Every structure is written in C-alpha cells, then in structure tokens.
C-alpha cells in the first residue's frame, strides 16, 4: 500500500512540475525553445521576460527569507518565489504592472523590459532555485499582502 501512495505522490509531483514548466514557458517568446533549453541546455536556465504574465519584486536575502516566512503565514499559497545566485536575493512573482507602481527602499522591481533567469522547475542548477514552485495555474502573490509581509519581516530584523 505504501508503494501506491508513493507512486501517487510521485505522479502528483510530476504533474505539478509539468504544469509549472508549461506556465513558465508560455511567458517565453518561443515556448518550445524554452523547454528545449531547460531539458538539453548546459545551464538548465532560461531568460524569461517580466511584465507579460508577471512582474518580480526582488528583495535582499535576509529580508527576502524573513518575508517568505511571514508570507507563508499570511497567504494560503504564495506565488512563485525564486532564490537567486548565492541566495543573496529572492524574487517574488506578482501581477503584471506591479513593478511600475512599486516604491520600496532596497526592493528592486522587474517589469516590462526586464528578464529573469529561471531554472527548470524540477532542477536546481548552480546559482538559482525555486523556493515556491509555480503552481501552473498562474497564482501570484498579491502586492498588498507582500507589502505587509515585507514590513513585518523588516520590523523583526530590526528588532
């Protein structure tokens, strides 16, 4: 019986990865080339344009990790979160248009014209990894909830 549960869990995990791959690849100018590069490219990372399906708010590592901890309590399921090279920065995926309206000290915003280095959802190449995998349905973090989490995290770090 445990073998059946393991297989069911494995199938569910594989479906989650497939959905994440398709959702992310759909943001690429050439989704097929994106999938090919993830599967066969030497780096396992592709550049995806921000501003079409999502924007990304990028926080420094300490603040980013503290924010993710708070966000995990505030939101039923946060949107995708990407840890950058050396875990020095975390990128929170938010609705398109957020970058143009975001003002926050120490937070970088990637919107139209910016590109995000995204690893394959099932792999962690050197340099970056998904802390919260895209769900494939387009769930993104609400900017107001992220702002609350950032404020709480900053207060904790300052205290």
């Amino acid at each position: 019986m445990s073998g059946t549960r393991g297989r069911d869990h494995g199938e569910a995990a594989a479906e989650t990865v497939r959905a994440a791959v398709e959702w992310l690849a759909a943001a690429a100018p050439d989704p097929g080339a994106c999938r090919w590069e993830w599967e066969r490219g030497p780096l396992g990372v592709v550049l995806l344009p921000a501003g079409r399906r999502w924007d990304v708010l990028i926080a420094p590592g300490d603040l980013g990790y503290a924010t993710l901890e708070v966000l995990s309590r505030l939101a039923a399921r946060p949107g995708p979160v990407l840890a950058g090279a050396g875990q020095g920065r975390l990128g929170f995926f938010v609705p398109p248009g957020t970058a143009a309206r975001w003002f926050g000290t120490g937070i970088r915003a990637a919107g139209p014209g910016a590109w995000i280095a995204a690893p394959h959802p099932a792999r962690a190449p050197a340099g970056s990894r998904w802390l919260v995998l895209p769900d494939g349905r387009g769930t993104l973090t609400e900017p107001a909830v992220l702002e609350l989490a950032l404020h709480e995290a900053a207060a904790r770090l300052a205290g």
Side-chain angles (χ1 to χ4, degrees), residues 21-94:
V21 165
E22 292 307 314
W23 183 76
L24 287 165
D30 183 344
C34 174
R35 287 188 295 274
W36 186 94
E37 187 63 32
W38 269 331
E39 296 297 329
R40 296 175 192 88
L43 300 177
V45 175
V46 298
L47 290 177
L48 295 175
R52 291 176 56 189
R53 290 184 164 242
W54 34 259
D55 286 353
V56 181
L57 298 179
I58 304 163
D62 289 346
L63 178 59
Y65 281 101
T67 298
L68 179 57
E69 182 181 316
V70 173
L71 188 60
S72 296
R73 288 186 285 110
L74 294 177
R77 186 195 191 287
V81 179
L82 185 61
Q87 314 309 314
R89 297 204 176 271
L90 266 63
F92 296 87
F93 283 55
V94 293

Side-chain angles (χ1 to χ4, degrees), residues 112-139:
W115 294 78
I116 300 298
H120 186 284
R123 296 182 188 88
S128 62
R129 66 187 176 99
W130 292 101
L131 299 179
V132 177
L133 194 65
D135 64 7
R137 295 186 317 256
T139 300

